Amino acid sequence: MNEGLRANEENIEYLQLELQQQRGMLWLLGEIIKAAINITEFKQLMSVLTDMLMGVMGVTTCYLWIKIENIKVEDYTVFLRSVELQNEFKELRHSVLPKALKELTGSYVFEKSEIEDSLLEDITMPCSRLAVPLRNFNDDSIFGILVLEHEEEHFFTNNTIAFFETLSIFIASNAQNSKLLQSVAEESIKDPLTEIYNRRYLSEALKNFKDKYRHITVAVIDTDNFKTINDELGHMEGDTVLKGIAQLAKGIIKDCGGEVIRYGGDEFIILIPRPLVESVHILEEFRKSVHYIKVAYDLATDISVTLGVCSYPEILEDYSQLIRVADQALLRGKTKGKNRVVLASEEDMRLTENDYELI
């Protein structure tokens, strides 16, 4: 009789512990969802999530392997946090998915006897490992894997496995939404005709260049006699000219890390992270090459461009005024006969200052 009571008490105690564990996991899931509301970047969300898992669930290492899309070879981004790295959050690039994870088709608990290697260097081989795949909701394919490890054997129970499977759905949803939002954001700053950046991206591009490079050369470009091209050939061929100019510019500045932006209509902007003396040669090469963009042999007017050029810090020390000053140089070039590269002068800077004061 006493043995029966003792067994019942032990069973009740076990059930109470399981209930307490389930409540804790539900609370954690709620906290993760609440945190996600105020986080816009997937990387930041993974930093918060791995921190919570380490603190509340007590795992010793937490990995998230995400397959990188749009590349020819297999490549993965790995988000990682481990007690062996002082709980520091890391983002790594890894070219090979570990052998232990390659054949995964569903959630799997690796016991100590099945664990042959650590997944990454500097991480000790665990005694328990749980791997949960992240599935694409559209085709049910696996695009990532959530991996939890612990130094104790038999650490993962049915409750924790169910929790991490639920969590994997949340992570997969956020990963796919992040890619969707990134795609939408990318589309909003791309010009659909020429497939280069549009004017919305200009301020961000200038700031990026200022943060990364010591020199910035800006060219504001106008397509000469574009109305005549449209009148003679029609707007379809006019669009072909614009696409040709954009792709030519991209090709010429690609090796120097530059950017091409459609400023509006038949105007473009080129940003080059090089000193003025180097950039002028690149821009002159571009100007001469435009002549060879042919859309029809019966075009009476040759295709050409005029460029107004300004540079930081050689000509101007205020990088935020580069576009204004280069635009003034462009206007001067148009009045002088077009089809030329015109460097900004003190006159252009004075005119810009006056314009700025009137705004």
Side-chain angles (χ1 to χ4, degrees):
M1 183 68 178
N2 289 337
E3 290 182 5
L5 286 173
R6 192 178 300 112
N8 285 336
E9 286 175 356
E10 289 176 355
N11 190 39
I12 291 171
E13 185 178 350
Y14 173 77
L15 291 174
Q16 286 176 334
L17 287 171
E18 278 215 327
L19 181 60
Q20 185 178 353
Q21 188 180 52
Q22 287 176 351
R23 284 174 176 170
M25 289 186 291
L26 284 174
W27 173 85
L28 177 57
L29 188 60
E31 291 299 302
I32 291 172
I33 292 171
K34 283 194 290 185
I37 294 172
N38 299 315
I39 296 175
T40 57
E41 292 186 359
F42 183 72
K43 178 181 176 180
Q44 185 184 0
L45 177 59
M46 291 305 100
S47 176
V48 172
L49 184 146
T50 53
D51 188 42
M52 288 183 175
L53 291 179
M54 298 287 289
V56 179
M57 298 299 293
V59 294
T60 52
T61 303
C62 179
Y63 304 91
L64 185 71
W65 297 70
I66 300 285
K67 192 173 190 305
I68 301 171
E69 297 180 352
N70 300 323
I71 56 174
K72 294 180 180 179
V73 296
E74 187 177 85
D75 213 357
Y76 290 84
T77 294
V78 184
F79 300 109
L80 165 69
R81 198 184 289 272
S82 175
V83 294
E84 295 188 60
L85 302 174
Q86 288 75 51
N87 284 344
E88 180 185 355
F89 179 72
K90 290 182 176 290
E91 179 184 5
L92 309 173
R93 182 65 61 85
H94 215 262
S95 59
V96 179
L97 187 67
K99 180 183 176 182
L101 305 179
K102 279 190 174 180
E103 304 302 320
L104 199 69
T105 57
S107 301
Y108 191 80
V109 176
F110 296 82
E111 299 300 343
K112 184 178 180 179
S113 59
E114 299 176 282
I115 301 172
E116 299 177 352
D117 296 297
S118 59
L119 298 184
L120 293 177
E121 293 181 3
D122 302 324
I123 304 295
T124 304
M125 196 165 65
C127 292
S128 294
R129 176 185 290 154
L130 169 64
V132 184
L134 306 181
R135 295 189 179 277
N136 186 315
F137 301 138
N138 295 319
D139 58 14
D140 203 37
S141 62
I142 295 174
F143 70 89
I145 301 172
L146 173 65
V147 182
L148 298 311
E149 294 181 342
H150 200 274
E151 59 192 8
E152 296 178 6
E153 291 187 62
H154 313 298
F155 178 79
F156 299 103
T157 66
N158 289 335
N159 277 342
T160 55
I161 294 169
F163 169 76
F164 285 118
E165 286 177 339
T166 302
L167 186 62
S168 72
I169 297 172
F170 170 78
I171 295 172
S173 174
N174 275 273
Q176 291 179 275
N177 285 340
S178 295
K179 290 176 184 177
L180 176 63
L181 291 173
Q182 184 178 350
S183 174
V184 170
E186 187 75 10
E187 287 177 9
S188 72
I189 58 174
K190 283 289 183 76
D191 174 49
L193 174 66
T194 58
E195 298 181 350
I196 61 174
Y197 288 114
N198 62 29
R199 192 166 181 164
R200 291 179 181 176
Y201 180 65
L202 183 56
S203 295
E204 182 180 344
L206 271 173
K207 184 182 182 304
N208 289 342
F209 271 53
K210 174 63 168 57
D211 292 341
K212 290 173 63 176
Y213 305 112
R214 293 175 57 192
H215 298 272
I216 308 171
T217 298
V218 170
V220 180
I221 304 160
D222 183 77
T223 309
D224 299 329
N225 308 307
F226 189 67
K227 184 178 184 302
T228 303
I229 295 172
N230 273 338
D231 290 345
E232 289 190 20
L233 301 178
H235 290 280
M236 293 286 286
E237 296 296 352
D239 287 348
T240 302
V241 170
L242 295 178
K243 287 189 281 188
I245 290 173
Q247 294 309 310
L248 175 65
K250 278 183 68 175
I252 286 177
I253 56 89
K254 179 177 66 174
D255 291 339
C256 65
E259 291 279 15
V260 185
I261 295 166
R262 189 177 182 189
Y263 198 39
D266 59 328
E267 288 191 331
F268 299 87
I269 286 178
I270 290 179
L271 305 179
I272 303 176
R274 298 285 177 87
L276 180 63
V277 65
E278 295 180 39
S279 300
V280 166
H281 290 294
I282 297 170
L283 295 170
E284 184 62 23
E285 178 189 353
F286 164 71
R287 182 193 67 81
K288 291 177 180 177
S289 300
V290 167
H291 173 76
Y292 299 100
I293 298 174
K294 294 295 182 183
V295 293
Y297 291 106
D298 59 350
L299 181 61
T301 305
D302 286 338
I303 300 171
S304 66
V305 292
T306 302
L307 298 86
V309 181
C310 190
S311 66
Y312 166 87
E314 295 100 324
I315 296 178
L316 201 63
E317 293 186 356
D318 182 358
Y319 84 97
S320 67
Q321 296 298 310
L322 284 170
I323 305 296
R324 290 175 178 271
V325 176
D327 202 37
Q328 288 294 335
L330 169 66
L331 294 175
R332 205 157 40 82
K334 299 291 279 188
T335 61
K336 286 187 174 183
K338 306 176 184 178
N339 192 21
R340 61 189 66 208
V341 176
V342 182
L343 299 185
S345 66
E346 289 186 8
E347 178 188 355
D348 298 318
M349 286 183 270
R350 285 197 300 272
L351 287 169
T352 303
E353 287 170 5
N354 292 338
D355 287 346
Y356 186 71
E357 288 169 1
L358 289 171
I359 291 175

